[in-house]
Amino acid sequence: MTATPLSDSVNPNPVKPDAARERDRWTASADAWDRWADPMADLADKLNRPLLDAAGLAEGDRLLDLASGAGEPALSAARRAGPGGLVVGSDLVPGMMAGAVRRSRGVDGPAPAFTAADMTALPFADAAFDRVTCRFGIMFVPAVEAALREVRRVLRPGGKAAFMVWGPRAGNGLFAEIGDVVAAHLGEDGSLDPLFRFAEPGLLADAMRGSGFEQSAETDLTPVRKAPAGQPFWRAALDMSFGHRLGGLDRERRGALEADIARRFDAQAVDGIVPVPSHARIVVGW
Ligand SMILES: C[S@@+](CC[C@H](N)C(=O)[O-])C[C@H]1O[C@@H](n2cnc3c(N)ncnc32)[C@H](O)[C@@H]1O
């Protein structure tokens, strides 16, 4: 983990998402999240481990995962909490959890329970959990302070919450390149902007302290994935993060869009390898 200085590309006026639009977006891309969940599981676990470490999750803990989608990191958390623990996964959009429910049936060992829940109005008692996690979800919630107050309410005194958010767009090559091509083909619709809402260091940590958390800390992760040139390593990101824009495309238009994405990444290859930088941030509050 390395500390990263504030990038020039951080948007000083981050866009607030729109609740109805976010619900539609995730409903439209739910099938893609289910389809890609297993092929992406190893990559996902590389991010889950530091997030669960930051949350301080230990065997026997009760953990609530918010915006679980297809089960990340709820499934990893259940393995760590063990048979004496309890993991509850939740999401605003029930369809997004279809993959999570399917995957939890196949696990050998403790599995999470999943339930639909808007994180701004959680259906749980005060102090019901020791830990709360949320991987790449809080940025899509317009009423972020309401969500953070709910998180604080369902945490026991001394409990910890850990959020994973994206750093700046410029540090996230996969989204940046695909986003540029999608905008060139289909027009700019702004739906990528909420991803980078907490790109500015300290922004989410400040919101946590303003919502009942006494302390907060953050750590940046800046891994560079080495992807093989000529391979569609970018297709999962295209389907999962832009799927809501691709539904109406015929084969020809989709083919042209994908060919442009492939050309962009192949042009960056060095000795057959495309470096794909990413920048995530873990923000912890207690
Ligand atoms: C990028 S996905 C993240 C899924 C998963 N945590 C992961 O990292 O793979 C964002 C998720 O946030 C969920 N979401 C958006 N607004 C929400 C809200 N108000 N309450 C709970 N979940 C929400 C969406 O339905 C979607 O499943």
Side-chain angles (χ1 to χ4, degrees):
M1 296 189 194
T2 56
T4 308
L6 174 59
S7 159
D8 290 338
S9 65
V10 170
N11 181 353
N13 300 305
V15 175
K16 249 196 186 186
D18 172 82
R21 187 168 138 160
E22 289 304 324
R23 192 186 283 272
D24 290 351
R25 170 213 194 114
W26 300 112
T27 302
S29 50
D31 286 352
W33 281 75
D34 186 2
R35 208 166 51 247
W36 282 107
D38 292 325
M40 298 298 286
D42 287 347
L43 262 181
D45 199 52
K46 290 200 171 86
L47 292 173
N48 294 345
R49 274 185 271 126
L51 181 62
L52 299 178
D53 289 346
L57 177 63
E59 226 175 303
D61 278 346
R62 300 160 301 165
L63 177 139
L64 171 64
D65 185 45
L66 305 168
S68 300
E72 309 294 356
L75 290 148
S76 306
R79 283 194 292 278
R80 196 183 284 201
L86 169 74
V87 173
V88 178
S90 62
D91 200 286
L92 175 72
V93 176
M96 277 296 286
M97 288 185 296
V101 172
R102 174 184 60 72
R103 297 169 80 204
S104 70
R105 287 197 198 105
V107 303
D108 190 15
F114 288 99
T115 185
D118 182 337
M119 67 175 95
T120 62
L122 290 171
F124 305 108
D126 295 359
F129 296 96
D130 304 300
R131 314 282 165 200
V132 172
T133 49
C134 180
R135 202 187 88 149
F136 304 131
I138 188 76
M139 57 277 246
F140 302 108
V141 181
V144 75
E145 289 81 8
L148 293 172
R149 280 195 299 272
E150 276 294 82
V151 171
R152 186 57 270 176
R153 180 184 66 77
V154 302
L155 270 176
R156 68 160 163 80
K160 235 180 202 180
F163 294 86
M164 186 171 271
V165 296
W166 292 113
R169 178 177 173 137
N172 284 293
L174 205 53
F175 296 128
E177 298 290 357
I178 299 173
D180 286 351
V181 175
V182 170
H185 281 248
L186 305 176
E188 184 60 80
D189 77 338
S191 60
L192 201 55
D193 295 345
L195 266 76
F196 309 110
R197 182 170 169 206
F198 294 114
E200 188 178 329
L203 202 57
L204 180 56
D206 287 350
M208 291 180 86
R209 285 195 311 278
S211 305
F213 287 87
E214 283 174 18
Q215 307 279 342
S216 61
E218 61 185 40
T219 313
D220 282 18
L221 309 174
T222 53
V224 180
R225 185 173 155 199
K226 292 182 173 58
Q231 299 290 320
F233 60 85
W234 38 264
R235 191 165 280 136
L238 175 66
D239 284 348
M240 293 161 87
S241 295
F242 300 86
H244 61 293
R245 302 208 62 197
L246 305 177
L249 286 188
D250 60 26
R251 274 169 76 103
E252 198 180 331
R253 289 187 72 197
R254 168 106 187 200
L257 185 145
E258 292 202 354
D260 272 354
I261 294 173
R263 259 193 296 278
R264 277 214 177 207
F265 283 115
D266 287 350
Q268 298 172 13
V270 179
D271 296 332
I273 298 293
V274 183
V276 187
S278 60
H279 183 165
R281 176 171 302 128
I282 297 173
V283 186
V284 187
W286 62 97

